[in-house]
Amino acid sequence: MYRVYIVEDDKGIADAIIKEGALWDIECRACKDFRDVMADFAEFDPHLVLLDISLPFYNGYHWCQEIRKVSKVPIIFISSASDNLNIVMAMNMGADDFISKPFDMSVLIAKMQAMLRRTYDFASKVSVLEHRGALLNMDEGTLIYKDENISLSKNEYRILLTLMANKGKVVSREKLMEALWKTDEFVDENTLTVNVNRLRKKLQNAGLDDFIETKHGRGYIVA
């Protein structure tokens, strides 16, 4: 089942799309927090985003740019601000289509289905993990926090991927060393400690203090 993330502050419109999508086996979710769209985006991991322009706190152009920093997921703008300038701006910022309000629900569903077919018949989606505003792009092996791209070594990426994929759980040192063995490089206890400390320093320099917490005798956890 495809997942569609709806960033639309008109609850009536969002609820109508969710109801119609369910009839076509499309799981739709409306944005819960317009101050932190990216956290919900990363958690839901959608195949398609529907995005309004006029939103509380930040407009749709802002969130389109933020999504494009970490994902190539298709984005369709749905807005009553459908003059040529807004349409051109939306497309230039990375949108894939623009649908003017008011719209016919059957037309919206048809465009969504066409976009999903075109995208996922030929390419796989980009997966993103999020924690405390830090976004880890699993396809490109990059970490972005507050518009900064944090450079990661192969081992640092593996450590962070394992910890963020197990968010809320303590990851043992043994499990982390197993993850690092996938890099075809021998890793012992001392090497793991050096890599974790180096990663912590990079995260701290970027403003992510205490991002990796040590649980003595058990392992590590993202905090």
Side-chain angles (χ1 to χ4, degrees):
M1 180 182 287
Y2 286 118
R3 295 181 300 278
V4 174
Y5 183 42
I6 307 165
V7 188
E8 163 64 71
D9 62 333
D10 187 319
K11 190 175 184 301
I13 293 176
D15 288 346
I17 296 172
I18 291 171
K19 183 178 179 180
E20 188 70 18
L23 299 176
W24 297 91
D25 289 328
I26 300 173
E27 181 185 357
C28 299
R29 178 191 291 186
C31 176
K32 301 172 185 174
D33 184 356
F34 291 100
R35 290 169 297 188
D36 193 8
V37 169
M38 294 306 294
D40 209 21
F41 168 84
E43 190 274 328
F44 188 47
D45 195 20
H47 298 93
L48 177 103
V49 175
L50 297 179
L51 187 58
D52 193 7
I53 293 176
S54 299
L55 296 167
F57 305 106
Y58 302 97
N59 64 29
Y61 297 135
H62 169 81
W63 293 120
C64 183
Q65 288 179 306
E66 291 301 300
I67 290 170
R68 278 291 167 261
K69 289 176 183 177
V70 298
S71 176
K72 298 176 183 176
V73 64
I75 297 172
I76 299 177
F77 270 89
I78 50 172
S79 177
S80 56
S82 56
D83 57 275
N84 288 340
L85 178 60
N86 278 303
I87 294 173
V88 170
M89 282 184 65
M91 305 307 280
N92 285 342
M93 289 188 178
D96 298 277
D97 203 349
F98 194 110
I99 298 176
S100 302
K101 293 179 184 176
F103 50 78
D104 185 286
M105 192 62 70
S106 61
V107 172
L108 175 64
I109 293 295
K111 288 209 169 196
M112 286 165 53
Q113 289 175 323
M115 184 70 68
L116 290 166
R117 281 195 306 269
R118 285 199 303 270
T119 303
Y120 299 103
D121 279 351
F122 301 105
S124 61
K125 67 185 180 66
V126 174
S127 297
V128 178
L129 294 175
E130 185 273 345
H131 184 62
R132 283 175 50 187
L135 298 163
L136 184 67
N137 184 316
M138 292 185 283
D139 284 359
E140 297 180 2
T142 57
L143 180 68
I144 294 176
Y145 179 65
K146 290 186 176 178
D147 296 331
E148 180 183 352
N149 194 327
I150 304 167
S151 175
L152 300 174
S153 70
K154 189 163 55 175
N155 280 348
E156 290 163 354
Y157 168 73
R158 284 281 181 186
I159 291 169
L160 199 55
L161 173 64
T162 305
L163 291 173
M164 291 180 70
N166 291 276
K167 186 165 65 172
K169 302 176 184 176
V170 176
V171 179
S172 68
R173 290 177 63 87
E174 290 77 15
K175 186 169 182 178
L176 284 176
M177 284 191 288
E178 287 175 12
L180 296 189
W181 289 333
K182 294 176 183 177
T183 63
D184 299 322
E185 181 180 323
F186 176 73
V187 176
D188 58 17
E189 290 271 351
N190 184 61
T191 305
L192 176 62
T193 301
V194 170
N195 277 275
V196 169
N197 288 340
R198 188 180 296 134
L199 175 58
R200 275 177 166 153
K201 186 173 182 180
K202 284 186 179 181
L203 295 171
Q204 185 175 354
N205 289 341
L208 289 165
D209 296 327
D210 302 319
F211 194 82
I212 300 174
E213 182 179 326
T214 300
K215 296 293 184 181
H216 293 290
R218 297 171 61 197
Y220 301 96
I221 187 172
V222 287

PDB file of all heavy atoms in Angstrom, residues 13-42:
ATOM      1  N   ILE A  13     -10.417  19.407   4.028  1.00  0.00           N
ATOM      2  CA  ILE A  13      -9.773  18.918   2.809  1.00  0.00           C
ATOM      3  C   ILE A  13      -8.912  17.697   3.113  1.00  0.00           C
ATOM      4  O   ILE A  13      -8.962  16.689   2.406  1.00  0.00           O
ATOM      5  CB  ILE A  13      -8.925  20.030   2.162  1.00  0.00           C
ATOM      6  CG1 ILE A  13      -9.827  21.151   1.633  1.00  0.00           C
ATOM      7  CG2 ILE A  13      -8.063  19.469   1.030  1.00  0.00           C
ATOM      8  CD1 ILE A  13      -9.074  22.339   1.068  1.00  0.00           C
ATOM      9  N   ALA A  14      -8.117  17.775   4.194  1.00  0.00           N
ATOM     10  CA  ALA A  14      -7.243  16.655   4.551  1.00  0.00           C
ATOM     11  C   ALA A  14      -8.055  15.400   4.840  1.00  0.00           C
ATOM     12  O   ALA A  14      -7.719  14.299   4.365  1.00  0.00           O
ATOM     13  CB  ALA A  14      -6.392  17.037   5.765  1.00  0.00           C
ATOM     14  N   ASP A  15      -9.132  15.533   5.606  1.00  0.00           N
ATOM     15  CA  ASP A  15      -9.968  14.373   5.943  1.00  0.00           C
ATOM     16  C   ASP A  15     -10.619  13.772   4.696  1.00  0.00           C
ATOM     17  O   ASP A  15     -10.741  12.549   4.579  1.00  0.00           O
ATOM     18  CB  ASP A  15     -11.052  14.765   6.945  1.00  0.00           C
ATOM     19  CG  ASP A  15     -10.498  15.021   8.345  1.00  0.00           C
ATOM     20  OD1 ASP A  15      -9.334  14.637   8.583  1.00  0.00           O
ATOM     21  OD2 ASP A  15     -11.226  15.597   9.180  1.00  0.00           O
ATOM     22  N   ALA A  16     -11.035  14.639   3.759  1.00  0.00           N
ATOM     23  CA  ALA A  16     -11.654  14.152   2.527  1.00  0.00           C
ATOM     24  C   ALA A  16     -10.648  13.358   1.692  1.00  0.00           C
ATOM     25  O   ALA A  16     -10.997  12.318   1.108  1.00  0.00           O
ATOM     26  CB  ALA A  16     -12.214  15.326   1.722  1.00  0.00           C
ATOM     27  N   ILE A  17      -9.406  13.823   1.634  1.00  0.00           N
ATOM     28  CA  ILE A  17      -8.373  13.102   0.881  1.00  0.00           C
ATOM     29  C   ILE A  17      -8.072  11.766   1.544  1.00  0.00           C
ATOM     30  O   ILE A  17      -7.917  10.740   0.872  1.00  0.00           O
ATOM     31  CB  ILE A  17      -7.088  13.954   0.773  1.00  0.00           C
ATOM     32  CG1 ILE A  17      -7.356  15.232  -0.034  1.00  0.00           C
ATOM     33  CG2 ILE A  17      -5.967  13.148   0.104  1.00  0.00           C
ATOM     34  CD1 ILE A  17      -6.194  16.212  -0.025  1.00  0.00           C
ATOM     35  N   ILE A  18      -7.982  11.766   2.876  1.00  0.00           N
ATOM     36  CA  ILE A  18      -7.728  10.511   3.605  1.00  0.00           C
ATOM     37  C   ILE A  18      -8.840   9.492   3.325  1.00  0.00           C
ATOM     38  O   ILE A  18      -8.566   8.313   3.069  1.00  0.00           O
ATOM     39  CB  ILE A  18      -7.626  10.791   5.120  1.00  0.00           C
ATOM     40  CG1 ILE A  18      -6.362  11.591   5.431  1.00  0.00           C
ATOM     41  CG2 ILE A  18      -7.635   9.488   5.920  1.00  0.00           C
ATOM     42  CD1 ILE A  18      -6.295  12.102   6.850  1.00  0.00           C
ATOM     43  N   LYS A  19     -10.086   9.950   3.375  1.00  0.00           N
ATOM     44  CA  LYS A  19     -11.226   9.056   3.140  1.00  0.00           C
ATOM     45  C   LYS A  19     -11.228   8.518   1.715  1.00  0.00           C
ATOM     46  O   LYS A  19     -11.423   7.325   1.479  1.00  0.00           O
ATOM     47  CB  LYS A  19     -12.531   9.816   3.426  1.00  0.00           C
ATOM     48  CG  LYS A  19     -13.777   8.966   3.282  1.00  0.00           C
ATOM     49  CD  LYS A  19     -15.025   9.774   3.640  1.00  0.00           C
ATOM     50  CE  LYS A  19     -16.286   8.932   3.472  1.00  0.00           C
ATOM     51  NZ  LYS A  19     -17.514   9.713   3.819  1.00  0.00           N
ATOM     52  N   GLU A  20     -10.987   9.392   0.740  1.00  0.00           N
ATOM     53  CA  GLU A  20     -10.984   8.968  -0.663  1.00  0.00           C
ATOM     54  C   GLU A  20      -9.800   8.060  -0.953  1.00  0.00           C
ATOM     55  O   GLU A  20      -9.920   7.066  -1.676  1.00  0.00           O
ATOM     56  CB  GLU A  20     -10.948  10.197  -1.573  1.00  0.00           C
ATOM     57  CG  GLU A  20     -11.123   9.890  -3.054  1.00  0.00           C
ATOM     58  CD  GLU A  20     -12.530   9.433  -3.419  1.00  0.00           C
ATOM     59  OE1 GLU A  20     -13.465   9.677  -2.619  1.00  0.00           O
ATOM     60  OE2 GLU A  20     -12.699   8.822  -4.499  1.00  0.00           O
ATOM     61  N   GLY A  21      -8.638   8.382  -0.388  1.00  0.00           N
ATOM     62  CA  GLY A  21      -7.454   7.555  -0.604  1.00  0.00           C
ATOM     63  C   GLY A  21      -7.659   6.132  -0.136  1.00  0.00           C
ATOM     64  O   GLY A  21      -7.217   5.175  -0.788  1.00  0.00           O
ATOM     65  N   ALA A  22      -8.338   5.968   1.005  1.00  0.00           N
ATOM     66  CA  ALA A  22      -8.579   4.629   1.552  1.00  0.00           C
ATOM     67  C   ALA A  22      -9.387   3.766   0.587  1.00  0.00           C
ATOM     68  O   ALA A  22      -9.200   2.538   0.529  1.00  0.00           O
ATOM     69  CB  ALA A  22      -9.296   4.738   2.895  1.00  0.00           C
ATOM     70  N   LEU A  23     -10.265   4.390  -0.184  1.00  0.00           N
ATOM     71  CA  LEU A  23     -11.068   3.638  -1.162  1.00  0.00           C
ATOM     72  C   LEU A  23     -10.208   3.075  -2.288  1.00  0.00           C
ATOM     73  O   LEU A  23     -10.599   2.123  -2.958  1.00  0.00           O
ATOM     74  CB  LEU A  23     -12.159   4.544  -1.752  1.00  0.00           C
ATOM     75  CG  LEU A  23     -13.183   5.111  -0.762  1.00  0.00           C
ATOM     76  CD1 LEU A  23     -14.134   6.065  -1.474  1.00  0.00           C
ATOM     77  CD2 LEU A  23     -13.955   3.983  -0.077  1.00  0.00           C
ATOM     78  N   TRP A  24      -9.028   3.667  -2.483  1.00  0.00           N
ATOM     79  CA  TRP A  24      -8.110   3.247  -3.545  1.00  0.00           C
ATOM     80  C   TRP A  24      -6.857   2.569  -2.979  1.00  0.00           C
ATOM     81  O   TRP A  24      -5.838   2.481  -3.653  1.00  0.00           O
ATOM     82  CB  TRP A  24      -7.718   4.455  -4.400  1.00  0.00           C
ATOM     83  CG  TRP A  24      -8.886   5.065  -5.113  1.00  0.00           C
ATOM     84  CD1 TRP A  24      -9.695   6.069  -4.669  1.00  0.00           C
ATOM     85  CD2 TRP A  24      -9.386   4.680  -6.397  1.00  0.00           C
ATOM     86  NE1 TRP A  24     -10.670   6.349  -5.592  1.00  0.00           N
ATOM     87  CE2 TRP A  24     -10.505   5.501  -6.675  1.00  0.00           C
ATOM     88  CE3 TRP A  24      -9.008   3.725  -7.347  1.00  0.00           C
ATOM     89  CZ2 TRP A  24     -11.233   5.399  -7.849  1.00  0.00           C
ATOM     90  CZ3 TRP A  24      -9.734   3.635  -8.532  1.00  0.00           C
ATOM     91  CH2 TRP A  24     -10.827   4.450  -8.755  1.00  0.00           C
ATOM     92  N   ASP A  25      -6.982   2.090  -1.737  1.00  0.00           N
ATOM     93  CA  ASP A  25      -5.854   1.412  -1.074  1.00  0.00           C
ATOM     94  C   ASP A  25      -4.617   2.294  -0.980  1.00  0.00           C
ATOM     95  O   ASP A  25      -3.480   1.836  -1.149  1.00  0.00           O
ATOM     96  CB  ASP A  25      -5.500   0.096  -1.793  1.00  0.00           C
ATOM     97  CG  ASP A  25      -6.564  -0.969  -1.586  1.00  0.00           C
ATOM     98  OD1 ASP A  25      -7.183  -0.966  -0.504  1.00  0.00           O
ATOM     99  OD2 ASP A  25      -6.773  -1.781  -2.494  1.00  0.00           O
ATOM    100  N   ILE A  26      -4.828   3.576  -0.722  1.00  0.00           N
ATOM    101  CA  ILE A  26      -3.732   4.518  -0.488  1.00  0.00           C
ATOM    102  C   ILE A  26      -3.835   4.989   0.958  1.00  0.00           C
ATOM    103  O   ILE A  26      -4.862   5.540   1.366  1.00  0.00           O
ATOM    104  CB  ILE A  26      -3.794   5.730  -1.439  1.00  0.00           C
ATOM    105  CG1 ILE A  26      -3.700   5.281  -2.900  1.00  0.00           C
ATOM    106  CG2 ILE A  26      -2.687   6.723  -1.121  1.00  0.00           C
ATOM    107  CD1 ILE A  26      -3.926   6.404  -3.900  1.00  0.00           C
ATOM    108  N   GLU A  27      -2.804   4.753   1.750  1.00  0.00           N
ATOM    109  CA  GLU A  27      -2.799   5.179   3.147  1.00  0.00           C
ATOM    110  C   GLU A  27      -2.363   6.636   3.218  1.00  0.00           C
ATOM    111  O   GLU A  27      -1.228   6.967   2.884  1.00  0.00           O
ATOM    112  CB  GLU A  27      -1.852   4.315   3.979  1.00  0.00           C
ATOM    113  CG  GLU A  27      -1.831   4.698   5.452  1.00  0.00           C
ATOM    114  CD  GLU A  27      -0.807   3.936   6.263  1.00  0.00           C
ATOM    115  OE1 GLU A  27      -0.135   3.062   5.679  1.00  0.00           O
ATOM    116  OE2 GLU A  27      -0.666   4.227   7.458  1.00  0.00           O
ATOM    117  N   CYS A  28      -3.263   7.494   3.663  1.00  0.00           N
ATOM    118  CA  CYS A  28      -2.964   8.925   3.759  1.00  0.00           C
ATOM    119  C   CYS A  28      -2.894   9.346   5.215  1.00  0.00           C
ATOM    120  O   CYS A  28      -3.681   8.893   6.044  1.00  0.00           O
ATOM    121  CB  CYS A  28      -4.035   9.746   3.042  1.00  0.00           C
ATOM    122  SG  CYS A  28      -4.190   9.413   1.275  1.00  0.00           S
ATOM    123  N   ARG A  29      -1.947  10.222   5.517  1.00  0.00           N
ATOM    124  CA  ARG A  29      -1.826  10.773   6.863  1.00  0.00           C
ATOM    125  C   ARG A  29      -1.667  12.276   6.768  1.00  0.00           C
ATOM    126  O   ARG A  29      -0.886  12.775   5.964  1.00  0.00           O
ATOM    127  CB  ARG A  29      -0.622  10.187   7.598  1.00  0.00           C
ATOM    128  CG  ARG A  29      -0.444  10.783   9.006  1.00  0.00           C
ATOM    129  CD  ARG A  29       0.872  10.414   9.646  1.00  0.00           C
ATOM    130  NE  ARG A  29       0.944   9.012   9.997  1.00  0.00           N
ATOM    131  CZ  ARG A  29       1.961   8.486  10.684  1.00  0.00           C
ATOM    132  NH1 ARG A  29       2.980   9.252  11.064  1.00  0.00           N
ATOM    133  NH2 ARG A  29       1.975   7.202  10.971  1.00  0.00           N
ATOM    134  N   ALA A  30      -2.412  12.994   7.610  1.00  0.00           N
ATOM    135  CA  ALA A  30      -2.308  14.450   7.645  1.00  0.00           C
ATOM    136  C   ALA A  30      -1.230  14.872   8.633  1.00  0.00           C
ATOM    137  O   ALA A  30      -1.004  14.211   9.650  1.00  0.00           O
ATOM    138  CB  ALA A  30      -3.646  15.064   8.039  1.00  0.00           C
ATOM    139  N   CYS A  31      -0.572  15.972   8.339  1.00  0.00           N
ATOM    140  CA  CYS A  31       0.469  16.527   9.211  1.00  0.00           C
ATOM    141  C   CYS A  31      -0.120  16.834  10.585  1.00  0.00           C
ATOM    142  O   CYS A  31      -1.212  17.391  10.702  1.00  0.00           O
ATOM    143  CB  CYS A  31       1.030  17.795   8.576  1.00  0.00           C
ATOM    144  SG  CYS A  31       2.251  18.644   9.584  1.00  0.00           S
ATOM    145  N   LYS A  32       0.633  16.470  11.626  1.00  0.00           N
ATOM    146  CA  LYS A  32       0.173  16.693  12.999  1.00  0.00           C
ATOM    147  C   LYS A  32       0.738  17.976  13.602  1.00  0.00           C
ATOM    148  O   LYS A  32       0.110  18.607  14.436  1.00  0.00           O
ATOM    149  CB  LYS A  32       0.587  15.509  13.879  1.00  0.00           C
ATOM    150  CG  LYS A  32       0.034  14.167  13.427  1.00  0.00           C
ATOM    151  CD  LYS A  32       0.654  13.045  14.251  1.00  0.00           C
ATOM    152  CE  LYS A  32       0.212  11.680  13.755  1.00  0.00           C
ATOM    153  NZ  LYS A  32       0.914  10.577  14.456  1.00  0.00           N
ATOM    154  N   ASP A  33       1.935  18.341  13.220  1.00  0.00           N
ATOM    155  CA  ASP A  33       2.620  19.487  13.823  1.00  0.00           C
ATOM    156  C   ASP A  33       3.250  20.326  12.719  1.00  0.00           C
ATOM    157  O   ASP A  33       4.265  19.949  12.138  1.00  0.00           O
ATOM    158  CB  ASP A  33       3.702  18.993  14.794  1.00  0.00           C
ATOM    159  CG  ASP A  33       4.385  20.137  15.536  1.00  0.00           C
ATOM    160  OD1 ASP A  33       4.070  21.314  15.252  1.00  0.00           O
ATOM    161  OD2 ASP A  33       5.235  19.851  16.399  1.00  0.00           O
ATOM    162  N   PHE A  34       2.646  21.474  12.430  1.00  0.00           N
ATOM    163  CA  PHE A  34       3.120  22.313  11.334  1.00  0.00           C
ATOM    164  C   PHE A  34       4.402  23.062  11.676  1.00  0.00           C
ATOM    165  O   PHE A  34       4.977  23.709  10.827  1.00  0.00           O
ATOM    166  CB  PHE A  34       2.024  23.290  10.908  1.00  0.00           C
ATOM    167  CG  PHE A  34       0.858  22.621  10.234  1.00  0.00           C
ATOM    168  CD1 PHE A  34      -0.306  22.360  10.940  1.00  0.00           C
ATOM    169  CD2 PHE A  34       0.938  22.217   8.915  1.00  0.00           C
ATOM    170  CE1 PHE A  34      -1.380  21.719  10.332  1.00  0.00           C
ATOM    171  CE2 PHE A  34      -0.120  21.579   8.287  1.00  0.00           C
ATOM    172  CZ  PHE A  34      -1.286  21.327   9.010  1.00  0.00           C
ATOM    173  N   ARG A  35       4.841  22.945  12.931  1.00  0.00           N
ATOM    174  CA  ARG A  35       6.133  23.528  13.300  1.00  0.00           C
ATOM    175  C   ARG A  35       7.275  22.556  13.014  1.00  0.00           C
ATOM    176  O   ARG A  35       8.432  22.966  12.951  1.00  0.00           O
ATOM    177  CB  ARG A  35       6.140  23.903  14.790  1.00  0.00           C
ATOM    178  CG  ARG A  35       5.260  25.085  15.144  1.00  0.00           C
ATOM    179  CD  ARG A  35       5.107  25.237  16.634  1.00  0.00           C
ATOM    180  NE  ARG A  35       4.423  24.065  17.219  1.00  0.00           N
ATOM    181  CZ  ARG A  35       4.013  24.000  18.478  1.00  0.00           C
ATOM    182  NH1 ARG A  35       4.236  25.016  19.286  1.00  0.00           N
ATOM    183  NH2 ARG A  35       3.389  22.926  18.919  1.00  0.00           N
ATOM    184  N   ASP A  36       6.951  21.262  12.887  1.00  0.00           N
ATOM    185  CA  ASP A  36       7.989  20.246  12.709  1.00  0.00           C
ATOM    186  C   ASP A  36       7.518  19.191  11.710  1.00  0.00           C
ATOM    187  O   ASP A  36       7.332  18.029  12.053  1.00  0.00           O
ATOM    188  CB  ASP A  36       8.322  19.604  14.062  1.00  0.00           C
ATOM    189  CG  ASP A  36       9.599  18.779  14.012  1.00  0.00           C
ATOM    190  OD1 ASP A  36      10.298  18.830  12.977  1.00  0.00           O
ATOM    191  OD2 ASP A  36       9.889  18.077  14.994  1.00  0.00           O
ATOM    192  N   VAL A  37       7.316  19.624  10.489  1.00  0.00           N
ATOM    193  CA  VAL A  37       6.820  18.740   9.436  1.00  0.00           C
ATOM    194  C   VAL A  37       7.786  17.586   9.163  1.00  0.00           C
ATOM    195  O   VAL A  37       7.391  16.461   8.898  1.00  0.00           O
ATOM    196  CB  VAL A  37       6.559  19.547   8.142  1.00  0.00           C
ATOM    197  CG1 VAL A  37       6.311  18.623   6.953  1.00  0.00           C
ATOM    198  CG2 VAL A  37       5.370  20.489   8.344  1.00  0.00           C
ATOM    199  N   MET A  38       9.088  17.858   9.273  1.00  0.00           N
ATOM    200  CA  MET A  38      10.086  16.865   8.886  1.00  0.00           C
ATOM    201  C   MET A  38      10.114  15.648   9.803  1.00  0.00           C
ATOM    202  O   MET A  38      10.389  14.531   9.353  1.00  0.00           O
ATOM    203  CB  MET A  38      11.472  17.504   8.812  1.00  0.00           C
ATOM    204  CG  MET A  38      11.610  18.526   7.706  1.00  0.00           C
ATOM    205  SD  MET A  38      11.166  17.901   6.074  1.00  0.00           S
ATOM    206  CE  MET A  38      12.443  16.670   5.813  1.00  0.00           C
ATOM    207  N   ALA A  39       9.842  15.822  11.085  1.00  0.00           N
ATOM    208  CA  ALA A  39       9.832  14.682  12.001  1.00  0.00           C
ATOM    209  C   ALA A  39       8.725  13.714  11.623  1.00  0.00           C
ATOM    210  O   ALA A  39       8.927  12.492  11.567  1.00  0.00           O
ATOM    211  CB  ALA A  39       9.663  15.152  13.445  1.00  0.00           C
ATOM    212  N   ASP A  40       7.542  14.235  11.338  1.00  0.00           N
ATOM    213  CA  ASP A  40       6.416  13.405  10.929  1.00  0.00           C
ATOM    214  C   ASP A  40       6.688  12.776   9.565  1.00  0.00           C
ATOM    215  O   ASP A  40       6.359  11.613   9.318  1.00  0.00           O
ATOM    216  CB  ASP A  40       5.146  14.252  10.882  1.00  0.00           C
ATOM    217  CG  ASP A  40       3.896  13.436  11.175  1.00  0.00           C
ATOM    218  OD1 ASP A  40       4.025  12.364  11.788  1.00  0.00           O
ATOM    219  OD2 ASP A  40       2.792  13.877  10.795  1.00  0.00           O
ATOM    220  N   PHE A  41       7.304  13.545   8.663  1.00  0.00           N
ATOM    221  CA  PHE A  41       7.660  13.038   7.340  1.00  0.00           C
ATOM    222  C   PHE A  41       8.582  11.828   7.453  1.00  0.00           C
ATOM    223  O   PHE A  41       8.372  10.795   6.820  1.00  0.00           O
ATOM    224  CB  PHE A  41       8.337  14.145   6.530  1.00  0.00           C
ATOM    225  CG  PHE A  41       9.005  13.679   5.267  1.00  0.00           C
ATOM    226  CD1 PHE A  41       8.282  13.516   4.102  1.00  0.00           C
ATOM    227  CD2 PHE A  41      10.367  13.402   5.243  1.00  0.00           C
ATOM    228  CE1 PHE A  41       8.887  13.073   2.927  1.00  0.00           C
ATOM    229  CE2 PHE A  41      10.992  12.968   4.091  1.00  0.00           C
ATOM    230  CZ  PHE A  41      10.253  12.795   2.920  1.00  0.00           C
ATOM    231  N   ALA A  42       9.618  11.950   8.281  1.00  0.00           N
ATOM    232  CA  ALA A  42      10.590  10.868   8.429  1.00  0.00           C
ATOM    233  C   ALA A  42       9.955   9.641   9.078  1.00  0.00           C
ATOM    234  O   ALA A  42      10.240   8.504   8.699  1.00  0.00           O
ATOM    235  CB  ALA A  42      11.785  11.334   9.248  1.00  0.00           C
TER     236      ALA A  42
END
